Amino acid sequence: MKFFIDTAEIQEIKSLSNLGLVDGVTTNPSLIYKSGKDFKTVIKEISNIIDGPISAEVTSTVSNEMITQGIELAKIANNIVVKVPLTKDGLLACKELSEKNIKVNVTLCFSAAQALLAGKLGATYISPFIGRLDDIGTTGLNLIKEIVNIYTIFKDDIKTEVLAASIRSPLQVSQVALMGANVATIPPKIIMQMMKHPLTDSGLEIFMEDWKKTGQKF
Ligand code: G3P
């Protein structure tokens, strides 16, 4: 499974990229706002660090404007993926941009039926938001399972990759991996949490204490 990181913070991207853990980056208008930086400048900066796919989201809700914005975003670097919302206009833009060989990530997906539409219209990625489904008392992980199953049944027709988004815990990362999601976009904080286990920490402490007791030097 590929790891994308869900952030527009350059320092976080650089540090995780140095660890070899970044296959791509996803951003959205909220993450751009949080970064405090100019949208196109920050996307360009990310593209100077990361070779893999970088999702940059359109800021219009009208299809023809989304298409114009998508074409402009795609010119920033050759690894830009244009992110469009899963609306009728977004799907129209997905179809047009995909036909122009521009990669599209269809975002804000909350049902398998929506994912089926994006798949039929040539999306490169579908982004089901699992955390936000959990927030309203449903089980977001079920959606990943359904979409992976549907796309597998129709694998000859649908080439769209399942990009599990809105991830809130290390457990969700391993669960979406088990379900066969192609990609997980993960906040940097969660990637750091994935490395941690209390038994690793306590085990290491004992090993280090016992090593000191040997009186040896390496
Ligand atoms: O990038 C989209 C998605 O990952 C957002 O997550 O935590 O704002 O629901 P969240």
Side-chain angles (χ1 to χ4, degrees):
M1 184 176 63
K2 285 168 276 188
F3 277 13
F4 290 179
I5 53 167
D6 206 20
T7 185
E9 302 294 335
I10 298 297
Q11 283 318 317
E12 289 178 330
I13 295 169
K14 274 188 183 158
S15 116
L16 287 167
S17 166
N18 286 342
L19 262 174
L21 285 172
V22 183
D23 299 307
V25 175
T26 52
T27 65
N28 61 38
S30 305
L31 293 170
I32 297 293
Y33 170 64
K34 216 172 132 197
S35 79
K37 289 195 169 181
D38 172 75
F39 176 32
K40 291 173 204 161
T41 309
V42 82
I43 295 296
K44 180 71 194 160
E45 277 181 275
I46 298 171
S47 74
N48 291 336
I49 306 166
I50 301 294
D51 293 334
I54 299 163
S55 289
E57 189 157 341
V58 297
T59 60
S60 170
T61 54
V62 182
S63 65
N64 59 347
E65 290 175 7
M66 289 184 195
I67 295 163
T68 308
Q69 289 186 353
I71 292 169
E72 195 180 326
L73 288 170
K75 285 182 186 154
I76 295 178
N78 59 12
N79 52 342
I80 300 300
V81 176
V82 177
K83 214 170 174 187
V84 300
L86 210 154
T87 58
K88 184 181 168 201
D89 282 77
L91 288 171
L92 263 166
C94 169
K95 179 177 174 291
E96 292 290 321
L97 292 167
S98 300
E99 282 173 2
K100 292 181 192 301
N101 289 321
I102 292 174
K103 290 188 171 151
V104 178
N105 175 357
V106 180
T107 188
L108 290 165
C109 170
F110 294 95
S111 79
Q114 287 182 314
L116 195 47
L117 297 176
K120 277 186 78 68
L121 293 174
T124 307
Y125 301 101
I126 184 72
S127 288
F129 276 33
I130 59 178
R132 292 193 194 183
L133 282 168
D134 290 351
D135 290 345
I136 59 159
T138 56
T139 307
L141 284 169
N142 288 346
L143 178 58
I144 302 294
K145 195 187 278 176
E146 285 178 12
I147 300 173
V148 170
N149 285 349
I150 291 171
Y151 283 5
T152 304
I153 293 167
F154 296 104
K155 63 179 182 305
D156 293 339
D157 304 315
I158 297 178
K159 304 296 176 196
T160 308
E161 293 194 23
V162 179
L163 194 170
S166 185
I167 285 181
R168 307 273 170 81
S169 71
L171 181 64
Q172 285 176 331
V173 180
S174 51
Q175 293 293 323
V176 301
L178 271 172
M179 286 167 183
N182 306 90
V183 191
T185 188
I186 314 170
K189 186 181 82 178
I190 305 295
I191 296 194
M192 298 315 289
Q193 288 173 359
M194 288 169 73
M195 296 174 197
K196 300 291 285 177
H197 196 287
L199 290 177
T200 306
D201 294 341
S202 58
L204 183 60
E205 208 177 307
I206 293 165
F207 286 160
M208 291 300 102
E209 277 166 15
D210 288 344
W211 171 245
K212 262 191 210 150
K213 286 182 213 159
T214 67
Q216 299 177 35
K217 293 256 178 288
F218 182 83

